[in-house]
Amino acid sequence: MALLDVDGINAFYGNIHALRDVSLSVDDGEIVTLIGANGAGKTTTLNCISGLVRPRSGTVKLAGEDLAKVQPHHIVERGVVQVPEGRRTFARLTVDENLRMGGFTLTSEANLRDGISRAYDMFPRLKERRSQTGGTLSGGEQQMLAIGRALMVSPRVLLLDEPSMGLAPTLVESIFETISSIHAQGTSILLVEQNALMALNVAGRGYVLQSGQIILSDTAANLAANEQVRQAYLGEI
């Protein structure tokens, strides 16, 4: 049984059919990537998993539990945490306060301190800026903060939405090294990423989403070698 199992979900925005029978899975300890063009439905898929968008049909299950009627904050408590596209840090809160917001479901101050300590161990630059407000950080620092905030609750499944967006190439490499490090510590990851080459390099398996439908699924290596994928998503002609 997969740790995260998405089966045949259909999602709508008004009359717009955004997702059509989307199915995917993430096993325990696995990195899976979901690639596709802008508007393909990648973020909607993550939002359905997080409970922010409710699919009209189909199921989302975590370790066999149906999440259909589970509120988003309780989904976080169960161990599914999303790092949203565009970081969405709290601009007027300090780095330390942003991290505390990520631990809002934790029940003790000791657990909060442990989570903050882990974030600062992973991102020493954030520790240097712990009293600085989120809105004054660089794009790379804000991405570190968004990931550190998500890790506060030691998630079972981390949903990453376009973590490399808007970052310089050297910072992109650093973020993907961080993703590999998080995975090495035992966290399962579902990665949405337009940088398909980097995503396929770090993932074990992948899915290609086009116009709200999964059109391909395979190992990351096979997808990277697929002529259709290479032409459409890896910039080859």
Side-chain angles (χ1 to χ4, degrees):
M1 180 176 64
L3 177 58
L4 177 67
D5 184 31
V6 177
D7 185 19
I9 60 172
N10 287 270
F12 290 77
Y13 295 112
N15 293 324
I16 298 173
H17 198 168
L19 297 180
R20 299 173 182 270
D21 297 316
V22 168
S23 297
L24 58 83
S25 64
V26 180
D27 292 332
D28 195 16
E30 188 177 33
I31 300 181
V32 173
T33 187
L34 181 62
I35 61 176
N38 277 335
K42 304 185 301 297
T43 294
T44 300
T45 301
L46 294 190
N47 286 343
C48 285
I49 296 168
S50 296
L52 301 176
V53 172
R54 296 297 183 183
R56 191 171 295 181
S57 62
T59 59
V60 177
K61 294 182 179 180
L62 178 68
E65 180 189 5
D66 192 343
L67 301 180
K69 296 182 180 180
V70 181
Q71 293 298 311
H73 62 287
H74 290 309
I75 292 177
V76 171
E77 289 176 338
R78 283 160 170 76
V80 179
V81 182
Q82 183 171 342
V83 179
E85 179 181 350
R87 277 79 80 174
R88 298 192 186 180
T89 54
F90 296 98
R92 296 185 180 183
L93 300 184
T94 66
V95 167
D96 207 73
E97 289 167 340
N98 266 274
L99 292 175
R100 285 179 170 273
M101 290 295 290
F104 76 100
T105 63
L106 299 176
T107 56
S108 76
E109 181 64 26
N111 288 339
L112 275 171
R113 288 197 300 268
D114 287 345
I116 291 171
S117 179
R118 288 195 303 271
Y120 289 153
D121 286 343
M122 179 166 287
F123 301 113
R125 193 181 305 178
L126 293 183
K127 187 172 184 179
E128 297 172 4
R129 290 158 172 72
R130 63 188 306 163
S131 299
Q132 192 170 327
T133 56
T136 63
L137 300 177
S138 69
E141 290 164 349
Q142 287 187 25
Q143 188 62 67
M144 294 175 195
L145 181 55
I147 293 174
R149 182 179 61 191
L151 295 176
M152 283 290 295
V153 294
S154 300
R156 300 173 70 185
V157 182
L158 184 64
L159 310 177
L160 292 170
D161 195 355
E162 303 286 5
S164 75
M165 180 180 287
L167 301 183
T170 53
L171 288 176
V172 171
E173 291 183 9
S174 177
I175 288 298
F176 274 90
E177 288 173 2
T178 297
I179 292 169
S180 295
S181 175
I182 294 168
H183 172 244
Q185 295 173 24
T187 304
S188 301
I189 297 172
L190 178 57
L191 169 65
V192 160
E193 179 58 58
Q194 277 197 301
N195 189 331
L197 181 60
M198 294 290 285
L200 292 171
N201 280 340
V202 77
R205 292 190 300 113
Y207 297 85
V208 178
L209 190 66
Q210 180 177 297
S211 301
Q213 294 179 292
I214 299 290
I215 61 168
L216 286 171
S217 65
D218 209 329
T219 66
N222 285 347
L223 287 176
N226 182 287
E227 183 176 353
Q228 181 182 356
V229 172
R230 297 182 73 84
Q231 290 180 354
Y233 305 106
L234 302 185
E236 297 189 5
I237 299 175

